[in-house]
Amino acid sequence: MEYPIEASCQCGQVTYKLFKAPKIVLACHCKECQKLATSPFSVTAVVDTESIEFQGEMKEWSRLADSGNTNAAKFCPVCGTRIYHYNPEDLSTVKLKLKPVGLTDDSVFAPSAHIWVSEKQGWYQIPDGVKVAQKQS
Ligand SMILES: [Zn+2]
Ligand SMILES: [Zn+2]
């Protein structure tokens, strides 16, 4: 694996460089993730904030999650591609939840766990050999 891995949004206005492997990569099948990804599930790579650098303008939108935490989303204002999520109320947090799209190398972004499979679309088959959780974990 060669770092940094580079990526961009769909229109190229937002770019980033990732300097270290993500801590964990999850596939989330909850209904909120289906909407945000306009896809049967979303892939989230948990990365340290100091191991990533962003360029370009991003807009923010947030919602209250089931857990009571605020879930803030950063996205490209031009093409709407979701870039990452984070919790703005948790100042101790050094992690952000990257939406790994448009990568120069995607080999480290295979999810090791699938969560919220209780809300999974019926036609999608979970691959063998990954952890599965009905809800959060
Ligand atoms: Zn864009
Ligand atoms: Zn989800």
Side-chain angles (χ1 to χ4, degrees):
M1 176 60 53
E2 289 254 336
Y3 289 94
I5 292 171
E6 296 182 26
S8 74
C9 64
Q10 199 173 9
C11 76
Q13 194 266 131
V14 178
T15 59
Y16 61 82
K17 282 183 188 171
L18 181 66
F19 295 92
K20 264 167 63 183
K23 292 177 167 313
I24 187 169
V25 182
L26 298 169
C28 183
H29 295 262
C30 81
K31 296 294 183 202
E32 292 289 340
C33 284
Q34 292 182 20
K35 280 189 186 175
L36 81 88
T38 56
S39 162
F41 58 89
S42 80
V43 177
T44 296
V46 178
V47 302
D48 288 330
T49 47
E50 71 260 25
S51 62
I52 192 160
E53 265 177 31
F54 295 97
Q55 295 242 294
E57 188 200 340
M58 287 184 271
K59 275 202 164 171
E60 187 169 310
W61 174 77
S62 63
R63 71 178 182 91
L64 207 56
D66 290 343
S67 59
N69 293 328
T70 301
N71 187 359
K74 293 275 194 187
F75 61 94
C76 172
V78 179
C79 70
T81 303
R82 199 63 72 92
I83 310 293
Y84 69 89
H85 289 189
Y86 72 108
N87 179 356
E89 282 152 14
D90 185 0
L91 297 174
S92 67
T93 211
V94 290
K95 293 176 293 197
L96 55 87
K97 297 171 181 168
L98 188 68
K99 299 292 162 199
V101 289
L103 299 154
T104 51
D105 188 329
D106 59 12
S107 53
V108 295
F109 295 95
S112 59
H114 286 242
I115 62 172
W116 282 100
V117 296
S118 55
E119 298 186 2
K120 180 176 84 58
Q121 292 199 9
W123 57 268
Y124 179 75
Q125 296 285 323
I126 302 238
D128 290 336
V130 297
K131 282 188 210 147
V132 170
Q134 290 304 306
K135 294 196 164 186
Q136 192 67 43
S137 54

